[in-house]
Amino acid sequence: MSQPHIPPTKLFTRDFLLAGVANLFISMVFYLLMTSMALYAVDRFQASDSAAGLASSVFVIGSVIARLFAGKLLRTMGRKRLAILSLGLFALASVFYIFSSTLFLLLIVRLVHGVAFGMGNTAIATAVQSTIPPARRSEGTGYFGLSTTLSTAVGPFLAVLLSGNGNYTAVFVFCTAFSTAALLFTLLVRMPEPPRPAQKPHAHARRGSFIRSIISPAALPISLVILICGIAYSGIISFLAPFLISKSMAEAASWFFIVYAVTVLISRLFAGRIQDRRGDNAIMYPLLLVFALGMAALAFDPSILTVASAAALTGFGFGALMPCAQAIAVSAVPPAELGVATSTFFLMLDVGIGFGPVALGLLIPHLGYTGMFGMLTVLSVLGIALYFQVHGRHARGMQGA
């Protein structure tokens, strides 16, 4: 039963914390499986490299499909109902990995699992925005995002630990346990529904109404900035390890994301506060610039210094950039459209991170790894120009007092 919408006055409420824990478990499952799935497909089904890559990325394809319709479903079904149903499916899909006896069945499970992830993640991310006081939107979004940040370090670590001896069943058991925990915590979260706007006669028949039910025009501009940055970041998560291995620096790949995660944790402690108090431009321009510098550090022959610098700079830049940009997206719409705005934001992020490696993989044979990261540096700089065009030149320099 949904609760009436009452503007919150406190940030660290019971529902905010419960939603953060639920999001942590959901993200843990995502990173556990993204880290181990390609290798599992090779070991279990003797899959080719391309098929193993598909086994990993088809999850993201499912998530993208889900986000296309999540905003509309949030309005028709309600946040709590959609969250519970999708996370129930999320937990069920985790169990079916154990019983997937062919590569085809594994791909089906991955696709369904991705759909459930996209729906559940959007529902919780939308609901938590209603628990954050509007004056602390950026700060609260950043704190909520710490649950995802923690999973980027712990999830891959657990994946390597559990599957080290080829015991992938343990990975799936942990995923099932985490998924069930996410569902249980979500059941405890109160999710107020926004007031429904007055329906105008024949409003449903307006031209473009279907597109507007899945894409928020107000949230799309800043979401396109995240699309550009997501493509750049996908080069790191997909190709940094083979790049460093090719340079006989395999150990650097193991600590890169630890440095990244620590830097993200630090940056999110203050980035949101700066945005809330000083305005969007006061934090977005520095974050975009730092992210571009981090990509540039990878465009040279790697050394301990350049890799460490890249980890710290991209962690500070991209890690803090996501909640700050999301705060801009959800602040651009009324409460009734939070679901579509959140779905639009994460849809663009998924497209960038999920499909970026496909295009980048075609470029590596021609440009090499350093050339690819050089191109991504240019793309990151273009992200700064795009931000100025779609939001920066219109944003106020100061907000609040």
Side-chain angles (χ1 to χ4, degrees), residues 40-361:
Y40 171 70
V42 173
D43 290 349
R44 176 73 169 80
F45 304 109
Q46 291 73 54
S48 64
D49 289 340
S50 59
L54 180 61
S56 180
S57 63
V58 73
F59 183 98
V60 179
I61 295 173
S63 177
V64 168
I65 293 171
R67 295 197 196 277
L68 286 173
F69 302 98
K72 186 177 182 65
L73 289 175
L74 281 168
R75 285 201 303 268
T76 57
M77 294 179 60
R79 297 167 181 173
K80 188 65 173 279
R81 184 177 300 173
L82 181 61
I84 292 172
L85 289 177
S86 58
L87 291 181
L89 179 61
F90 191 67
L92 190 62
S94 298
V95 176
F96 274 88
Y97 281 102
I98 300 173
F99 303 104
S100 298
S101 57
T102 66
L103 181 60
F104 177 75
L105 287 176
L106 177 66
L107 293 175
I108 295 298
V109 171
R110 288 290 285 163
L111 181 66
V112 173
H113 206 191
V115 169
F117 170 82
M119 293 288 188
N121 178 253
T122 302
I124 291 179
T126 300
V128 81
Q129 290 296 327
S130 296
T131 72
I132 299 173
R136 302 179 70 181
R137 178 82 67 193
S138 304
E139 182 185 1
T141 303
Y143 285 138
F144 177 74
L146 289 177
S147 58
T148 301
T149 303
L150 182 60
S151 68
T152 64
V154 179
F157 173 77
L158 282 178
V160 173
L161 182 66
L162 295 172
S163 63
N165 297 319
N167 185 15
Y168 294 98
T169 300
V171 173
F172 303 142
V173 169
F174 266 76
C175 286
T176 302
F178 290 155
S179 300
T180 303
L183 175 60
L184 293 176
F185 276 100
T186 300
L187 286 169
L188 299 175
V189 179
R190 291 169 295 197
M191 298 185 182
E193 299 292 341
R196 292 184 177 273
Q199 191 78 12
K200 297 181 180 179
H202 309 296
H204 62 281
R206 289 180 307 179
R207 185 187 300 270
S209 60
F210 173 72
I211 296 298
R212 293 190 178 187
S213 72
I214 60 177
I215 299 291
S216 168
L220 183 59
I222 191 65
S223 300
L224 291 176
V225 176
I226 283 297
L227 169 64
I228 295 296
C229 295
I231 293 172
Y233 182 66
S234 75
I236 292 178
I237 59 177
S238 299
F239 300 111
L240 179 66
F243 174 42
L244 294 179
I245 290 172
S246 71
K247 298 293 185 178
S248 301
M249 294 183 64
E251 72 285 350
S254 63
W255 53 256
F256 178 94
F257 287 103
I258 296 177
V259 175
Y260 173 90
V262 170
T263 310
V264 173
L265 287 169
I266 295 172
S267 67
R268 289 193 180 180
L269 293 177
F270 61 84
R273 291 186 181 183
I274 294 176
Q275 185 177 14
D276 286 331
R277 297 175 182 177
R278 306 291 297 181
D280 299 331
N281 290 345
I283 193 66
M284 288 294 291
Y285 281 124
L287 292 179
L288 287 164
L289 178 60
V290 168
F291 178 58
L293 291 174
M295 299 304 302
L298 295 173
F300 298 93
D301 281 337
S303 65
I304 296 297
L305 177 61
T306 59
V307 173
S309 298
L313 291 170
T314 56
F316 186 92
F318 188 74
L321 183 67
M322 285 192 292
C324 290
Q326 185 187 352
I328 294 173
V330 298
S331 297
V333 300
E337 297 180 21
L338 277 178
V340 180
T342 303
S343 179
T344 300
F345 180 85
F346 283 108
L347 172 63
M348 293 298 107
L349 180 62
D350 283 351
V351 169
I353 292 179
F355 296 99
V358 178
L360 297 177

